Amino acid sequence: MNPLNHVAIIMDGNGRWGLKYKKSRNAGHKAGLISVEKIIKESIKRNIKFLTLYAFSTENWKRPKKEINYLFNLLENFLAKKLNKLNNQNIKLNILGTKNFSKKLNFLLKTAEKKTLNNTGLQINLALNYGSKTEIIDAFKKINKNKKKITEKNLITYLHTKDMPDPELLIRTGNTKRLSNFLLWQLAYAEIFFVKKLWPDFNEADYLKVIKEFQSIKRNFGNI
Ligand code: FPP
């Protein structure tokens, strides 16, 4: 059976779901949060060590202010309400990306990271204001600044994902087949699953189906 330590997810389709069922994109984000909770629970059950969720990309700033504010409010409320529960579940929360949000959200994110720092269960990496190209360029700049040799080993120590294995599995919901500037370096050998369902419709059974299929793949890593 293929080891599965790290699952990465592009949670796509909230906006379309919201428009389809509630005539509002934001309602889709709200519903998407319920899927997030389902997938966290199932990841713990499956003993997955790292779950990386693409919640807001550097390109998402192009969206209408109203939608951006709604998303950040949702996140603030989620952290305010659920941080203790996450902590009690031994979850470690880690932010991938640059924290340049409102003072309040920056504070909540830092507090959440600090509070859960020593937890040893599932690590949730929330990719927020994250862009993979910027991450890679910044890593090269740091190599240069520290006068290190450009090697794979040195480069990965400057990525946001240092100290964790690369994802073995990437899931993208929403019937779209692209990577959208997500973990371009780290996904070099990931198995990629594009799922037709919109993120708010994605549930534990869909997740398990993907995991089962992943387990059945013969992973060669260039070998035969
Ligand atoms: C992509 O769907 C989704 C996002 C940009 C935001 C993801 C947010 C959530 C799942 C809920 C909030 C999560 C947390 C952790 C607070 P889209 O809006 O691009 O969908 P579309 O392709 O249908 O427009």
Side-chain angles (χ1 to χ4, degrees), residues 4-191:
L4 184 55
N5 291 303
H6 189 167
V7 178
I9 306 185
I10 302 177
M11 310 179 288
D12 195 17
N14 286 352
R16 276 167 285 161
W17 189 96
L19 286 177
K20 187 171 169 195
Y21 295 106
K22 310 267 180 193
K23 295 195 174 72
S24 135
R25 290 183 52 84
N26 286 344
H29 294 309
K30 191 173 170 194
L33 194 51
I34 298 169
S35 294
V36 168
E37 295 193 89
K38 287 180 187 165
I39 298 314
I40 291 175
K41 215 167 144 194
E42 198 57 38
S43 299
I44 295 172
K45 231 167 121 183
R46 299 288 139 197
N47 210 17
I48 284 157
K49 299 280 176 258
F50 300 88
L51 176 66
T52 300
L53 302 172
Y54 207 7
F56 195 84
S57 72
T58 43
E59 289 75 26
N60 286 149
W61 291 107
K62 294 176 195 158
R63 295 188 177 205
K65 230 181 155 130
K66 212 175 131 200
E67 181 167 335
I68 294 175
N69 287 341
Y70 185 88
L71 268 169
F72 292 156
N73 258 323
L74 201 61
L75 180 58
E76 278 179 17
N77 289 337
F78 176 75
L79 289 175
K81 265 201 224 148
K82 299 284 167 90
L83 181 58
N84 279 336
K85 189 178 168 200
L86 295 176
N87 193 38
N88 290 338
Q89 287 173 292
N90 200 20
I91 288 172
K92 178 174 172 179
L93 198 71
N94 177 53
I95 307 303
L96 299 188
T98 314
K99 290 188 215 66
N100 63 348
F101 311 104
S102 67
K103 259 191 184 163
K104 185 179 173 195
L105 183 54
N106 284 342
F107 175 78
L108 279 170
L109 293 170
K110 279 183 198 155
T111 309
E113 284 186 314
K114 217 168 139 188
K115 192 177 171 98
T116 62
L117 184 68
N118 295 318
N119 287 347
T120 53
L122 175 70
Q123 175 166 328
I124 300 175
N125 299 311
L126 208 51
L128 272 180
N129 189 25
Y130 171 86
S132 184
K133 286 186 181 178
T134 305
E135 179 191 27
I136 294 169
I137 288 171
D138 286 349
F140 275 111
K141 282 183 185 162
K142 283 173 193 158
I143 283 199
N144 201 23
K145 199 173 154 206
N146 291 296
K147 299 191 169 52
K148 292 264 174 68
K149 256 176 93 176
I150 297 178
T151 63
E152 225 177 273
K153 213 173 145 202
N154 285 339
L155 187 96
I156 58 178
T157 63
Y158 295 114
L159 295 176
H160 295 278
T161 49
K162 64 175 183 320
D163 306 326
M164 58 183 98
D166 285 343
E168 297 95 347
L169 169 62
L170 169 75
I171 302 170
R172 181 176 187 139
T173 59
N175 202 19
T176 306
K177 298 188 177 84
R178 54 175 171 256
L179 292 180
S180 301
N181 202 14
F182 187 49
L183 302 174
L184 300 178
W185 176 281
Q186 297 87 338
L187 292 173
Y189 259 102
E191 305 299 332

